[in-house]
Amino acid sequence: MARPKLALVHGFSWRHWRGDLLGGLTAAVVALPLALAFGNAALGPGGAIYGLYGAIITGFLAALFGGTPAQVSGPTGPMSVTVAGVIGTLAAVGISRELGSNELLPLVMGAVLIGGLIQILMGVLRLGRYITLVPYSVVSGFMSGIGVIILCLQIGPLLGIKSQGGVIASLGTVFGQFTPNTAAFLVGVLTLAVVFLTPKRLSTWVPSPLIALVVITPLSMLLFQDGIPRIGTIPEGGLNFSLPNLKDHLPVLLRAGLVLAVLGAIDSLLTSLVADNISQSRHHSNRELIGQGIANSVAGLFNGLPGAGATMRTVINIKSGGRTPISGMAHSMFLLVLLLGAGPLAESIPEALLAGILIKVGLDIIDWGFLLRAHRLSIKTALVMWGVLLMTVFWDLIGAVLVGMFVANLLTIESITTHQLESMNSEDSSQLDQEEQHLLNRCGDALMLFRLQGPLSFGAAKGISERMTQIRQYKILLLDVTDVPHLGITATLAIERMVEEAEHHERQVLIAGANAKVKARLKQFRIHELTGSRREALAHAAQELDPN
C-alpha cells in the first residue's frame, strides 16, 4: 500500500473559494492601515511602508507553508515593539536611528532573518506544543504589557512630538520637551473619535481604521497642508532582494532574533487556538512554526517587517467566509495590488493618524477582563500577572516571560504538593475494605500507612519524609502506591531517602501496589522493598507484628 503524501499546503481546498476571496479582501482592508501603523511604530518616520511589505510577504508565505488553514499573518503589536527595541539597542552601540542610514535597515533585517530561521528550527524540533503550555497568567500579563508599551510609545506621535527609544526614553522625551503640535493632536483626536465611535453596523462592513485612513488623510491635507508630520517619501527599492548584515553586532542580532522567534511563536499559536475555536478546525503547531519561520526569513531578505498570526485579522477573515490558506494568500495579493496602485497616496498619511489607530490596538490588546478581576480569583495569580506586565514594560520581553513561567510553575508545584499531602493522611483508611481495615487494626500504631495518589511530586515526597521524622513509635512503614501512575526522578530520589531513613532507624519498609512502570523505576534505584497488593502487604505486616 502506498504511503499517503504530505500535502504542500495544509487545509487547501477550492470548495470555499468564494468565501476565501471575500475573507481575504476583508482582512486586507483591515490589514492596510495596521501594517502602515506598525511599520511606523517599529522603524520610526519612513518605516510605514516596510510594515506593508511585511504584511504582503508574511501573509502569503505563512498561509502557504503554515499549519493553520484560515490564519492571516502580518505585523503585530509584539513584533513591532520588539523591532523598536532592537533599534534602541543598536542605537546604544552607535548605530543611527534614521532609516536613511546605510547601517540600520540591514542590521534590523538581519535580526528578522535570524528570528525566522530560529522559528523553523523550533518547528523541526517539534517545540510547538510546549509554547501553548505557557500559564494564562503569564500570557495575560505579557500581552497586557505589550498593550501598555504601544500606548506609551504612541503618546509622542499623537501629540506631534518626535520621540524614539523604549518606554522610559520615549516618555522622557515627551514630557521633557512638551511642545505639542496642535494640528497633529487634532488629527489624532479625530482618529480616536472615528475608531471608537463608528457604529458597529458600519464597522462590520468597513473597518473603523480604514474609515479613519480614508476620511482623515484628505481632511488633514485640506486643513493642515504644512507643519504636520507625515509618512513622507516611500523609499525606493521596495521588495527588492537585499542580503541583511549578519557580520556586525552578531550577539545583538542573535538575541533580537531569539526574542522575535519566541514572541512570534507565542503570538501565532495563540491565534491558531482562537482560529480553531471559531472555525471548528485543528491546527498543526509545528508546521505553523515552520511556515511562520519561512515567512519571516523571506521578509528579512526583502526588507519586510516580521509578522505573526494576527488575531483580529484572522477572526475577521473567518467570519467573512475564509476557511483555507487561499484566504491568507488572497489577502496578501490584494495588499500588493493596493501597494502598486496607491503607494504614492500613502506618503500623505499623518503620523498622528497612525498613532490614533495604534492606541486603539494597544487598548484592545490589554486583557481588561482578567486584569480587573484577577485579584478576586487568586492573589498569587494576580501577582504573577502584574509582575510579568511590569517586567514586560520596564525591563525585558523574553525575561518577563521566563521569570513569569518560572514563578507560575513554582506556585503550581506548591499547589499540587499541598493537595497531595492533604490526600495522603496516614490515618485515613476510608479506601480500605473490611479485611484490610481488620489487618490495619491488628497492626495498631506499629504500622504507618501512607497512601500516595496521582503523579507524586518531589515536594509531596519530601513532605511525607518530614512527617516520618515526627512519628517515632512505628516499626513498619507501608507506602501504598496503587494510585501512582508514574514516578519522576526527583520523586523517586525522595522515596529512596525515605526508605533509607526508615531503615537507618531499624524500621521495616514495604511498598505495595506498584504498577509495572513504578516497579521498574524503583528497581533502577535499587529499592526492592516491593510486595504485591495492599492487602498482601497489610497481611505481611500483621504477621510480622503479631505472629499469633
Side-chain angles (χ1 to χ4, degrees):
M1 183 181 294
R3 296 177 61 184
K5 295 182 179 179
L6 184 66
L8 174 65
V9 186
H10 174 64
F12 180 85
S13 172
W14 286 108
R15 288 184 300 171
H16 305 283
W17 67 271
R18 289 188 180 87
D20 287 333
L21 290 180
L22 180 59
L25 175 60
T26 308
V29 168
V30 176
L32 176 62
L34 292 177
L36 295 172
F38 284 132
N40 203 62
L43 298 172
I49 198 64
Y50 297 105
L52 190 54
Y53 297 158
I56 293 170
I57 296 170
T58 60
F60 188 89
L61 295 178
L64 180 63
F65 297 109
T68 311
Q71 181 149 286
V72 175
S73 298
T76 63
M79 302 300 272
S80 63
V81 166
T82 304
V83 172
V86 174
I87 294 176
T89 304
L90 293 173
V93 295
I95 303 299
S96 171
R97 292 179 181 271
E98 301 299 326
L99 279 179
S101 67
N102 295 325
E103 294 179 298
L104 180 61
L105 193 61
L107 286 172
V108 172
M109 292 305 151
V112 175
L113 174 61
I114 291 173
L117 295 177
I118 293 175
Q119 283 184 320
I120 294 174
L121 181 62
M122 292 168 67
V124 171
L125 296 177
R126 300 184 179 277
L127 301 180
R129 58 180 180 148
Y130 298 107
I131 299 294
T132 56
L133 297 180
V134 179
Y136 184 78
S137 57
V138 177
V139 174
S140 176
F142 171 73
M143 295 307 293
S144 296
I146 292 294
V148 172
I149 291 175
I150 292 174
L151 293 177
C152 293
L153 295 182
Q154 296 311 307
I155 292 176
L158 184 73
L159 298 173
I161 301 173
K162 185 177 180 181
S163 61
Q164 291 182 323
V167 170
I168 297 176
S170 179
L171 292 178
T173 301
V174 170
F175 294 108
Q177 305 173 9
F178 193 73
T179 53
N181 184 317
T182 305
F185 180 64
L186 287 175
V187 168
V189 170
L190 285 173
T191 303
L192 290 172
V194 170
V195 295
F196 279 104
L197 301 179
T198 300
K200 197 167 185 179
R201 289 183 179 180
L202 179 59
S203 63
T204 302
W205 295 97
V206 184
S208 58
L210 184 64
I211 296 174
L213 194 68
V214 172
V215 173
I216 297 177
T217 298
L219 188 62
S220 70
M221 295 175 64
L222 181 64
L223 298 178
F224 314 109
Q225 294 184 359
D226 300 317
I228 183 171
R230 300 182 185 274
I231 288 179
T233 304
I234 295 177
E236 297 180 359
L239 291 173
N240 291 338
F241 175 85
S242 61
L243 191 64
N245 184 354
L246 298 178
K247 296 180 180 179
D248 299 335
H249 310 291
L250 184 59
V252 174
L253 299 184
L254 284 173
R255 186 181 184 284
L258 178 62
V259 174
L260 287 170
V262 174
L263 295 189
I266 294 173
D267 209 0
S268 298
L269 294 183
L270 289 178
T271 302
S272 296
L273 294 176
V274 173
D276 287 351
N277 291 332
I278 298 176
S279 64
Q280 300 299 312
S281 61
R282 183 178 179 184
H283 76 279
H284 291 266
S285 55
N286 296 313
R287 183 164 186 163
E288 181 64 29
L289 289 180
I290 293 174
Q292 294 290 339
I294 293 173
N296 284 320
S297 299
V298 176
L301 294 173
F302 286 87
N303 295 327
L305 201 67
T311 305
M312 185 170 69
R313 279 157 272 177
T314 298
V315 171
I316 289 173
N317 173 45
I318 295 173
K319 289 187 175 181
S320 300
R323 289 294 181 273
T324 78
I326 295 174
S327 59
M329 292 186 282
H331 137 272
S332 291
M333 298 310 297
F334 286 130
L335 286 178
L336 180 60
V337 171
L338 289 172
L339 172 66
L340 297 176
L345 298 178
E347 299 177 2
S348 302
I349 298 175
E351 291 183 8
L353 188 154
L354 299 181
I357 293 174
L358 281 180
I359 287 175
K360 175 66 164 59
V361 171
L363 290 171
D364 289 341
I365 289 178
I366 295 176
D367 189 1
W368 296 105
F370 192 67
L371 200 68
L372 298 176
R373 63 191 175 103
H375 64 283
R376 297 199 302 268
L377 303 176
S378 168
I379 295 297
K380 293 179 180 178
T381 298
L383 289 175
V384 171
M385 184 200 62
W386 281 103
V388 172
L389 190 157
L390 294 174
M391 286 188 290
T392 300
V393 174
F394 297 107
W395 180 46
D396 181 80
L397 299 175
I398 287 296
V401 173
L402 294 179
V403 172
M405 288 180 62
F406 177 75
V407 174
N409 287 328
L410 282 182
L411 294 176
T412 301
I413 292 172
E414 180 191 28
S415 176
I416 292 174
T417 298
T418 302
H419 175 73
Q420 288 180 335
L421 286 175
E422 288 175 350
S423 65
M424 293 174 187
N425 191 344
S426 61
E427 299 178 357
D428 180 15
S429 57
S430 59
Q431 299 295 321
L432 305 182
D433 60 31
Q434 186 174 1
E435 182 178 348
E436 291 173 336
Q437 184 66 56
H438 174 68
L439 292 170
L440 181 62
N441 293 336
R442 281 181 57 189
C443 296
D445 292 337
L447 173 70
M448 185 164 67
L449 168 65
F450 271 107
R451 291 190 304 104
L452 312 183
Q453 297 179 348
L456 183 62
S457 69
F458 175 75
K462 186 178 179 181
I464 294 173
S465 182
E466 291 174 353
R467 289 187 184 183
M468 289 171 51
T469 61
Q470 300 171 3
I471 304 174
R472 297 295 181 185
Q473 68 270 27
Y474 73 94
K475 296 180 181 179
I476 297 178
L477 170 66
L478 173 55
L479 296 177
D480 179 12
V481 295
T482 304
D483 297 322
V484 176
H486 71 273
L487 286 175
I489 296 294
T490 53
T492 312
L493 285 170
I495 290 179
E496 182 185 48
R497 283 197 293 271
M498 291 162 54
V499 173
E500 290 174 351
E501 181 179 348
E503 292 177 343
H504 176 71
H505 291 90
E506 297 182 350
R507 289 157 179 164
Q508 187 178 357
V509 180
L510 301 174
I511 301 178
N515 61 32
K517 288 184 178 180
V518 173
K519 280 183 180 179
R521 175 52 59 86
L522 292 173
K523 287 180 179 179
Q524 285 178 340
F525 284 74
R526 298 184 180 181
I527 300 175
H528 300 290
E529 292 79 0
L530 303 174
T531 59
S533 65
R534 179 173 58 208
R535 181 179 298 178
E536 293 172 342
L538 286 169
H540 177 79
Q543 181 66 24
E544 288 285 328
L545 296 171
D546 183 13
N548 297 320

